[in-house]
Amino acid sequence: MEASSDTGKAPIWTPTPARAASSRMVEFMEMVARRGGPPLRDYQQLHAYSVEHPGAFWRTVIDYCGVRYEHLGDRDLVGGDRMPGASWFPDARLNIARTLLASDDHMPAVIGLMEDAAPTSLSFGELRARVSRYQQAMRAAGVGVGDRVACLTPSIPDAVAAMLATVALGAVWAACSPEYGVNAAVDRIGQVQPKLMLVADGYRHGGKVYELGEKVEEILRRVPSISTAVAVPVLGVGRSMAGTVERDRFLAPYQAGGIEYESLPFQHPAYILFSSGTTGAPKCIVHGAGGAMLENLKAHALQFDVRPGDRVYMASTIGWMVWNVMAMALGCGASIVLYDGSPFHPGGDALVRHIAEQRVTFARLPARYVESLAKAGRVPRLDHDFGALKTLMCNGSPFGADGYAYVYEKVKADVHVVSPSGGTDSFGSLVSNFPIGPVWAGEIQGPALGFDIDVFDGQGNPLRGQPGELVVKRPFPSMPLHYLNDPGDKRYRETYFSVYPDVWRHGDWAEFTGHGGLIIHGRSDSTLNARGVRIGTAEIYRQLADFDDVRESVVVAQDWEGDTRVVMFVQLRDGAAFDDQMEGRIRKLLRDGLSPRHVPSKIIPVAAIPVTFTGKVSEAAVRDAIHGREPSNLGALANPESLACFEPSGLPALRAA
């Protein structure tokens, strides 16, 4: 199927009737009808069924996806009129690792790719063997039900095995990317108070080697709850790290055998995902095992048509929700392809090269990566064979119509391009795609199954044809259980339910289209999107707190060339002068203390920064001012005259690349 040249009036891609008819979604719809449900002719009817009959829908997902359980019970949803407060499958007992590891021994499970190294692979039989050894060793180290296991490694097969061993034990998994500086890592891991941590001796990125010994030693000193730290030799044998036990020594006493799956409630905690740290230290979002698994088996099998034998590749660091989503594809009988390295090493096209070489069927690429290929004038279809690729996900930031056109013209004409939107909070996508309908350039096809979404104005009225707040009006299984260290769920309720009572406010600025699809315009709060990764301004401010020459700072997103970029404004202390040396010190501080993604595209000195009467820096006022808009909170500012410093006409740096 060739891409349409008229992306405004016609779909840019439509599945052939044969492809649609053979999809897993159609098979699922037929199963609903066989079980006494209504006949479903299209996606819109299936979505309506999923939100109007949630218990029956999710029970059918359990059976269709082959979820392994000890007991399910008759109750599907208790308290479905409460949000928060609903309880899913309250009588069930299961362990999600049993489902994720259920495929036959010979089937490929994990393929590990690294910069400048040969691929490694594990079959499901080999993965089960490694999980068994990790589980025995973890139990001997004192890890049990409800304990926490942290991870500070790149995306490697051992991390998958350790994660599965953790949830098989009934413990809780929390991963942090190794590129974070010590302060950012401790902000996350320190709150979790893990008993055991898996670490790597280093990682590779862009042709460079980064050793983690000193960082790990400092983290262990500052997080005393960690009684065992297991070091995986990513860079090579012989690199010792103080305070750690090398992986092979940790596992040596234990032979592979059967895995003991703790039988646990459906909503037993299994994952802690970290928020982006917008208002203070990153929030620790606790997710239940059953909801996280069920949401993502549904997404892989139905929304993305992943089936046994497929290969799923989602370019992601281990600390992001996307990595955990990818791991759930194991439950579909698919293998997952991991990558530790830069998207641009070597040659600038590493990710598309991996898709071709590994015969990937479902791939996720960061939207910014695809845009970089387009700007470089690359035509990947001329250099690579994408014959196996069926579905290509492009997200992490809004993916516009030009991006869709580029994929269909320069990558592959007959591929289902998807750009779902969700996040860490929901452990899945609120807005998603489906394999049985047309794709319009720049649009997400529709609401995700099981999510009763809407777009509201400030008063809670539905909007059509104009942007507003993306909300969910009914409970869904992958809602967070709670936050750590949040007495009375105060922060939890303030985050999602303080704007619209009993309605989940997601924090995205969204718009319904005339086709029933949606466009996500970006975040509606102060979370930034830096090179496809959400980051919080509070983390940046904390790093600058001890920078003597900076009195005040504000960080905002600037609309730039069809996307956004992060811009920092600094108000200097008396007598300080902004020059290349100071800018370099700020950039190094953020890069070393947090990560390269936290470094703004532009750092600009200003004479004053707007603050409210309560003394808070007003990001909203600055964001409006640099875009030539009158700030909506002008009356709340203690120094409104400071906005003159942000007039676009007076800031040539804002107009420069």
Side-chain angles (χ1 to χ4, degrees), residues 113-117 204-208 339-354 357 369 373 378 384:
L113 307 179
M114 304 179 74
E115 282 189 5
D116 307 319
R204 298 175 177 87
H205 194 89
K208 297 180 180 179
Y339 178 48
D340 169 29
S342 167
F344 303 102
H345 180 82
D349 65 346
L351 303 188
V352 291
R353 175 167 47 82
H354 295 159
E357 291 176 351
Y369 174 80
L373 295 178
R378 291 185 175 271
H384 305 288

Side-chain angles (χ1 to χ4, degrees), residues 355-427:
I355 293 171
E357 291 176 351
Q358 299 302 321
R359 306 295 294 167
V360 168
T361 56
F362 177 97
R364 177 202 175 269
L365 297 177
R368 294 293 296 269
Y369 174 80
V370 176
E371 292 162 5
S372 71
L373 295 178
K375 289 180 180 178
R378 291 185 175 271
V379 186
R381 63 179 174 80
L382 298 180
D383 302 319
H384 305 288
D385 177 7
F386 300 117
L389 185 65
K390 298 183 298 183
T391 307
L392 180 62
M393 178 190 293
C394 301
N395 64 353
S397 57
F399 194 55
D402 290 346
Y404 281 74
Y406 172 78
V407 169
Y408 284 112
E409 293 170 8
K410 308 298 184 183
V411 181
K412 187 175 183 180
D414 188 16
V415 65
H416 185 194
V417 175
V418 303
S419 186
S421 182
T424 299
D425 313 81
S426 57
F427 213 129

Side-chain angles (χ1 to χ4, degrees), residues 476-489:
F476 51 93
S478 60
M479 284 179 61
L481 301 179
H482 55 266
Y483 290 167
L484 284 186
N485 310 315
D486 181 26
D489 289 335

Side-chain angles (χ1 to χ4, degrees), residues 69-190:
Y69 53 83
E70 181 179 296
H71 179 72
L72 190 58
D74 296 328
R75 295 189 296 171
D76 306 312
L77 174 61
V78 174
D81 58 342
R82 299 194 302 269
M83 188 163 64
S87 177
W88 295 89
F89 300 100
D91 305 313
R93 293 296 182 273
L94 76 168
N95 189 292
I96 67 172
R98 188 190 298 274
T99 298
L100 299 182
L101 287 166
S103 294
D104 293 341
D105 281 355
H106 69 279
M107 293 183 66
V110 182
I111 299 161
L113 307 179
M114 304 179 74
E115 282 189 5
D116 307 319
T120 60
S121 63
L122 295 173
S123 67
F124 271 93
E126 292 167 331
L127 178 59
R128 276 192 290 270
R130 192 168 299 189
V131 170
S132 170
R133 297 181 70 197
Y134 263 110
Q135 184 191 49
Q136 294 174 69
M138 286 179 173
R139 181 178 283 118
V143 177
V145 174
D147 288 328
R148 293 151 192 168
V149 174
C151 181
L152 188 81
T153 74
S155 180
I156 54 175
D158 267 274
V160 177
M163 179 272 289
L164 291 167
T166 298
V167 296
L169 282 167
V172 184
W173 175 259
C176 180
S177 300
E179 65 181 15
Y180 279 117
V182 171
N183 292 338
V186 171
D187 279 348
R188 292 160 171 79
I189 296 170

Side-chain angles (χ1 to χ4, degrees), residues 487-523:
D489 289 335
K490 183 176 184 294
R491 294 179 72 197
Y492 179 90
R493 290 176 179 273
E494 286 178 352
T495 300
Y496 307 115
F497 301 102
S498 61
V499 176
Y500 308 109
D502 305 316
V503 172
W504 170 289
R505 173 186 171 271
H506 193 62
D508 277 343
W509 202 240
E511 178 181 357
F512 276 106
T513 73
H515 308 120
L518 288 103
I519 297 172
I520 303 296
H521 294 285
R523 297 295 294 171

Side-chain angles (χ1 to χ4, degrees), residues 16-86:
T16 64
R19 176 167 176 163
S22 64
S23 68
R24 300 193 73 185
M25 181 168 282
V26 167
E27 189 175 66
F28 179 84
M29 291 161 70
E30 293 170 347
M31 184 177 187
V32 170
R34 289 196 305 271
R35 293 163 66 112
L40 303 171
R41 294 183 296 274
D42 55 30
Y43 183 77
Q44 290 69 31
Q45 291 183 352
L46 174 59
H47 179 264
Y49 173 77
S50 75
V51 297
E52 292 167 6
H53 305 278
F57 169 76
W58 288 109
R59 187 177 287 270
T60 306
V61 170
I62 287 173
D63 293 342
Y64 179 79
C65 292
V67 172
R68 307 293 181 92
Y69 53 83
E70 181 179 296
H71 179 72
L72 190 58
D74 296 328
R75 295 189 296 171
D76 306 312
L77 174 61
V78 174
D81 58 342
R82 299 194 302 269
M83 188 163 64

